[in-house]
Amino acid sequence: MDELLEELQARINAARGTRDRVHSLLEAVVSVGRELDLSQVLRRIVEAGAHLVDAQYGALGVIGPDGRSLSQFLTSGLTDEERERIGPLPAGHGLLGELIRHPEPLRLSELGAHEASFGFPEHHPPMRTFLGVPIRVRDEVFGNLYLTDKRDGLDFDAEDESVITTLAVAAGVAIDNARLYESSQRQHRWLRVGAEVTNHLLSGDARQDVLELVARRAGEITGARLAEVSTPVPGTDNLVVELSVAAAGKSPGDGDGGTDGLRGLVVPADGTLAGAASAADTHVVSAGLGKDPRFRTDPHLSAGPGPAVAVRLGAPGAAVLLLVRAVGEPAFTEPELEPLLAFAGQTALALELAVRRRDAEHVALLEDRDRIARDLHDLAIQRLFATGMTLQSTARLIEHTGAAERVGRAVDDLDETIKIIRSTIFGLRARDEGAAASLRARASRTVGDAVTSLGFPPRLSMEGLLDTDVPLDVAEHVVAALGELLSNAARHAHATRVEVSLKATADEVLLTVTDNGRGIPAQSRRSGLDNLAERARQVGGALELSTPEGGGSRLLWRAPLG
């Protein structure tokens, strides 16, 4: 009777233990399925697995895109100090790779006795028992759950394997749900950013500002450490970096959170990721830019970058968007690239629409100028001329000398007004019929031609009636001085930024060229500057040199008008 009672009690305890374990398993399944963030889901799977089988250590390895190595490795039971002492995380060799090659449950009483075991790295805690189970998401093996060292020195049994296998099935469903949620959220963010970029472009924002917005938002969504936009340099095999930003808002290398860290850098098309994307019909991906043999001359190699992708924003010759993740980050996957490519296509279309819209606005502006010039000539000048003739004939009938002189001065003022209006008409039509000969157009062309020698595009701002108030001979000197100043900056300044300002006031024309280079040494040859000063003196002007805050040089070439 006592033996029967003891056996009954043992079975009751076993049933109670099974009930408790099933209850714990259900709690673990609910806990894992509750999360929607993928990283939190993976963390809960490791912790729940270790708890269910009373394992001291647990880990979850996510299989990379190549299907042979681990792209992520999460651990449980190790302190931060222990993980740091162990060093780099496993890549999927040895016993861990056994489950990758053969995705079936594996249970060992002595971990080191298995033929695939390579042992442990230095400072790794000793481990004896082992239980590994693959985690499948639909028909794909997502990763493996590893558990070691069951407490009290016991071996993992068949029941432990069954429990973990059940958890792995629930984990696969939770991972799939998290990935679907992550994908929908990412798609929503891409759509929102695409609308934001389109609105900015069609609202008339500057192209440079919109490209910076494109790079920053793309970097934020993809988790890129670096986001760059490069543009092919016409007539060469090079690209110039228009802007360089990071998702966190700080550009690598510039230290102040600005966007000038790599701006202006000229990179060769051959041997660089951006160059490959510029020449290709589609995007170009690198699993690890720092180790990719295709891109030996890429300027980012010194930083040891990780996965990268480059995509062209339009037809051949268009800008290229480059995104680079940090070392150790996962490679860009197809589900990530799909919305990125759609975003790039939408951005390219918006850029093209913005150009077409600006062209249409320019045509409308020219037509409006032509109408104004025609109305001024056919209506205003004729009326003023008729009024002047009337006053001139009336002046002969005025006997009072003072009154006659006043009428004469009024006639002279009308003549001067007619000259001013005719000059304005000439200026308006010159932009329409001969824009290439205008001072504004010549200055823009001179600045554009300097891109090749400088290695980056200078910034240009123009203000005032440059095409109407600046005489032709002075305009010739202005264009020549601008070319000389940009040439000096390219040869001697070693600058990464050059700003050009051309302004016409009521009294003078001012040309200012500022760079952030090494400045003008006191003992340097000054033949070029002497020539510029002589040009200014020929038209009654002057050349002034100064040093802006932060270093570099500022040269002001000025000439009077009239």
Side-chain angles (χ1 to χ4, degrees), residues 142-324:
F142 175 83
N144 297 302
L145 180 58
Y146 309 105
L147 302 163
T148 62
D149 283 9
K150 189 177 178 72
R151 299 184 190 277
D152 298 331
L154 301 175
D155 291 343
F156 293 107
D157 54 24
E159 187 175 342
D160 293 327
E161 180 180 322
S162 177
V163 169
I164 296 302
T165 301
T166 304
L167 176 65
V169 173
V173 175
I175 291 170
D176 193 32
N177 289 338
R179 291 204 301 189
L180 289 173
Y181 176 78
E182 189 178 75
S183 176
S184 66
Q185 290 295 103
R186 186 167 54 242
Q187 188 75 25
H188 175 70
R189 293 181 68 187
W190 280 120
L191 291 174
R192 188 170 57 194
V193 169
E196 182 183 8
V197 170
T198 302
N199 289 338
H200 279 276
L201 275 172
L202 299 184
S203 297
D205 287 13
R207 177 179 179 276
Q208 186 80 5
D209 296 337
V210 175
L211 287 179
E212 181 174 338
L213 176 66
V214 168
R216 194 176 298 280
R217 293 290 185 264
E220 290 171 355
I221 294 177
T222 59
R225 177 186 64 88
L226 174 70
E228 283 185 2
V229 174
S230 302
T231 304
V233 179
T236 71
D237 292 329
N238 299 328
L239 295 92
V240 60
V241 178
E242 281 199 56
L243 55 93
S244 174
V245 300
K250 185 173 183 180
S251 297
D254 68 12
D256 60 359
T259 59
D260 294 331
L262 298 174
R263 178 178 290 175
L265 179 68
V266 176
V267 299
D270 186 30
T272 63
L273 184 60
S278 180
D281 294 331
T282 183
H283 63 285
V284 180
V285 181
S286 174
L289 189 56
K291 300 179 180 179
D292 200 320
R294 297 175 296 170
F295 310 117
R296 292 300 187 190
T297 60
D298 199 286
H300 305 97
L301 295 182
S302 58
V309 60
V311 56
R312 198 172 59 211
L313 302 177
V320 176
L321 173 64
L322 171 68
L323 301 171
V324 184

Side-chain angles (χ1 to χ4, degrees), residues 351-367:
L351 286 169
E352 183 66 22
L353 288 175
V355 171
R356 300 299 181 193
R357 179 176 176 176
R358 281 194 293 270
D359 289 344
E361 290 173 350
H362 185 61
V363 170
L365 179 63
L366 293 178
E367 291 176 348

Side-chain angles (χ1 to χ4, degrees), residues 95-104 106 130 132-134 144 146:
L95 187 58
L96 300 185
E98 182 69 16
L99 272 177
I100 299 176
R101 295 185 294 272
H102 306 288
E104 299 292 339
L106 178 63
F130 176 86
V133 174
N144 297 302
Y146 309 105

